[in-house]
Amino acid sequence: MNIKRGAAGAAVIAAGALVLSGCSLPYESEVIEGTEITVSWNDIIDNFNSSSTSGNNIANSNVTYLTTSSFNYYDNSPELVQNTEFGSYEKTSDDPLTVEYTINDDVVWSDGTPLDEADMLLSWAYIFAGVTDEEGTPLFNYANPRADLASATPEIDDNKLVLVYDKPYVDWEVQFGIGSVAAHAAVQLAYPEIEDAQEAKDQLVEAIQNKDTEWLAPVAEAWEADFQSANTPESDLVKLSYGPYIVEDLVEEDYVTLVANEEFAWGPSPKYERITIRQIADPTAQVQSLQNGDVQVASGQPTPDVLQLVQETETADYHTSDEATYEHVDLTFNNGGPFDPATYGGDEETARMVRVAFLKTIPRNEILEKLIQPLNPNAVVRDSILQIPGSPMYDPIVEANGSAEYAEVDIEGAAALLEEAGVETPVEVKFWYPEGNERRAQEYELIATSAALAGFDVTDDSEPNWEFTDTAANPTNPHDAVIFAWASTSLALTGTDQYLGTGQPSNFGGYSNEVVDTRLSDLETELDEDEQIQIQIDVETELWNDGYGITIFQFPGLTAWDKGVEGIAPAPLAPYYFWNFWEWAPTDGATAE
C-alpha cells in the first residue's frame, strides 16, 4: 500500500498526486470570479516538498494535490483513473518490465516553464535512489527510496521517459509520479547564478546522467531544506504549481489560501477562485466554525460528542464511513530507552520481553468501545499490520500472525514478563502524541492508566510538531512510544517497507529484522495470491513476536459541509474529501466566503 503519515490527525508516499481528467477541448475555465471557499484540516502545510521525509504528511500532501497533476488518481470508489489530459503511460514490455511515460505538450509550471523530461528524471533520481554519495546513501532524502527497483538511468526524449525495472513489480502502475518540486527550481535555489530555467534543467539532466554527485549534492540539499516553509515563501520558486491552484498566502499554524492558476489548462476546471484551508486541530472547534459559517467543510478525528454536534447542525450535510487509515502505537528500538537492547547491555531478549509486556497493557478494546464504536457501532479492533479489516487477505493473516496474544489486556502476563526479564519497575516510557489532538490525548490517558497496573510509568512526551519524523534533523527518535496513523493513498500491495524496512526513512523507531526485509522484497514480485498471503503472514509473525508495535482501529471518517456547497464526496483514501476539489461549487444562489 502507499501511505502517508497523517499530520496531527492520522504518513508510504503517494505515487500519483493530482487527479484530473475528462475536460473538453479547447479548454474553458469555469472559475467563478470572486468565489472563495474555506475548509478546515487539523494541521497546515509547512513543507512544499511532500516527497521528502520531512514533508511526507497529509497536511502537506493536501496542498500538493491542489497544486500538481499526475498520470493517474483514485476516485472515491476507490478506482484508479488515468489522467490523459495531463499525460499517458504504457507498459511496453514485461521482460524486462518497461514503462514509457509521456507528458502532454501544453503542461507548464506556473512560471510558464514547460513540465518535461527533466522533471521526470529528477523524480526517478529520488524515487529510485538513482544518485548516491560515496557510501551509497541516496543524495535525496525521499520518504521511500527504492534503489532495487529501477536502477538504470532512464532514457529520455522530448516530454518522454522510459523506465526499465530491474525485476517484475506488482505495483508498477502507482510507483512513479512527479512531485511538487520543479527541476529548475531545485537547481536555481542551489545555484542562484543560473538564471535561465532551461539551462538549469539541462545541467540537472547532464549531472544525473553522468552521476555527478558533487554537482548534485547542493541540489539535493535544496530539494530537502529550501522547500520547508511554514509561511509564504520568499522565493516564488518554492511554490511553483502545475495544478489548478497555486499558493497565494500562508500563515504558520493558521491558514493557507490558494488561488486559481491562470496557466492551468490540462484538466477539469475548478469552480472556486480561491480555496482557504484553515488549521483547526480540535474537531469540536471545526464543527462550531462550520455552524458559525467561518468554514464550509469540517473533517477530522471525531469523538461521539462531535458526531452529535454535527447531527444537530441543520445547515450542514455529513458523511460517515471507515477510512483507509489506521491508528497504531510504535515503539523505539534504538534511543537508549526501555525498548532498546542497549539499555540491557545488548540483551535482545530482555528488550523484547519489555516491549511485549508494554503492548499487552494497551487497552485496545476499551479505546474502541469508548472512542470509536459510538461513531461506528460496527468498528472492530484491527489485528493486521498489512491488511485492512474486510479485505480478502485479512482473516487468513490474522488467524496465523500471532496477534491473538494481544487480543485482551493482560496485566498479569505483562507484570510476569517484566519480572522474568529482571527489570526494575516502574519502567518509564516517554509517550508521544500530537499535542492538541483530543482523541489521542484520551487514548494516551487510557494507555497510561492501564500500563501503570503492570509496572510502567507512562509519561506525557507530547509536542505538536512531529519533530521525530524529520529524520534528517532527528536521526534518532527521542520518544519511546508514539501514537499516530498511517494513511493509505493507494490500493498497492507493497510499500510497507517504507516504515518496516531496515534503515528506511520512515522507520522512525529503528526497527530491523532480516526476515521482514527479505519477505517484503519477495512480495514485490509475487503474483500468486496464496503465496502473497503466506509472505504477509511470515512478515507479521515476526512483527508481533518482536513487539514492533500494535494496531488499534480503523479511522471512522466524518466529513460535514455547508448545504451552500455542492460536490463534496469524501473518499476512503487520502486525500479524502479533497480528491475531487474541482467539482466543488456554490449551490444555486449561494456564495461561500
Side-chain angles (χ1 to χ4, degrees), residues 88-311:
S88 61
Y89 57 92
E90 179 184 7
K91 183 172 68 169
T92 59
S93 172
D94 286 314
D95 187 17
L97 174 60
T98 305
V99 188
E100 181 176 306
Y101 293 87
T102 303
I103 300 173
N104 294 344
D105 291 337
D106 59 347
V107 180
V108 299
W109 291 92
S110 49
D111 63 355
T113 302
L115 188 81
D116 59 18
E117 65 276 8
D119 298 288
M120 287 193 283
L121 191 61
L122 173 62
S123 295
W124 169 81
Y126 60 76
I127 292 174
F128 299 100
V131 287
T132 62
D133 61 19
E134 293 180 356
E135 287 76 35
T137 303
L139 284 187
F140 293 90
N141 194 22
Y142 179 59
N144 188 28
R146 294 305 312 272
D148 60 329
L149 283 184
S151 60
T153 304
E155 294 183 3
I156 58 174
D157 201 349
D158 292 341
N159 288 11
K160 294 182 184 297
L161 178 142
V162 179
L163 193 62
V164 180
Y165 281 82
D166 299 336
K167 58 185 179 182
Y169 184 59
V170 294
D171 292 322
W172 66 268
E173 194 169 4
V174 292
Q175 177 61 30
F176 180 76
I178 303 171
S180 54
V181 172
H184 66 286
V187 172
Q188 290 178 307
L189 288 168
Y191 297 101
E193 66 274 14
I194 303 177
E195 298 181 357
D196 181 73
Q198 188 59 52
E199 180 185 351
K201 292 196 291 184
D202 290 344
Q203 291 200 33
L204 177 69
V205 168
E206 182 179 359
I208 292 176
Q209 291 177 332
N210 294 332
K211 298 293 194 296
D212 187 348
T213 55
E214 182 178 354
W215 188 90
L216 286 169
V219 178
E221 182 178 351
W223 184 89
E224 166 68 23
D226 290 5
F227 292 85
Q228 299 183 31
S229 182
N231 291 284
T232 308
E234 294 183 5
S235 172
D236 287 342
L237 291 171
V238 174
K239 63 185 183 74
L240 290 176
S241 164
Y242 60 100
Y245 288 95
I246 185 170
V247 169
E248 182 179 55
D249 190 25
L250 171 61
V251 177
E252 184 174 2
E253 296 186 355
D254 191 355
Y255 70 89
V256 58
T257 296
L258 302 100
V259 64
N261 177 11
E262 295 181 357
E263 296 289 337
F264 180 77
W266 44 91
S269 171
K271 312 305 183 291
Y272 285 103
E273 185 175 22
R274 283 179 172 79
I275 295 178
T276 294
I277 306 173
R278 187 166 294 280
Q279 176 176 316
I280 306 177
D282 184 348
T284 300
Q286 282 199 28
V287 178
Q288 291 171 339
S289 295
L290 179 66
Q291 292 174 329
N292 296 335
D294 296 326
V295 303
Q296 284 70 59
V297 182
S299 181
Q301 295 179 46
T303 62
D305 291 341
V306 171
L307 175 59
Q308 182 178 351
L309 192 61
V310 167
Q311 292 171 333

Side-chain angles (χ1 to χ4, degrees), residues 149 161 244 290 299 304 320 340 361 465 487 538:
L149 283 184
L161 178 142
L290 179 66
S299 181
T320 60
D340 182 352
T361 71
N465 297 321
D538 294 346

Side-chain angles (χ1 to χ4, degrees), residues 23 59 61 99 149 227 260 365 374 383 426 454 578 582:
C23 73
S61 63
V99 188
L149 283 184
F227 292 85
N365 287 300
D383 285 320
F578 287 97
W582 60 90

Side-chain angles (χ1 to χ4, degrees), residues 345-380:
D347 190 331
E348 297 277 355
E349 180 59 16
T350 296
R352 189 195 73 84
M353 293 169 70
V354 176
R355 293 193 298 269
V356 171
F358 179 70
L359 297 180
K360 281 179 172 288
T361 71
I362 293 181
R364 297 193 296 163
N365 287 300
E366 185 180 8
I367 290 171
L368 194 76
E369 291 167 3
K370 291 184 175 179
L371 303 180
I372 305 304
Q373 286 182 340
L375 300 166
N376 177 11
N378 299 318
V380 297

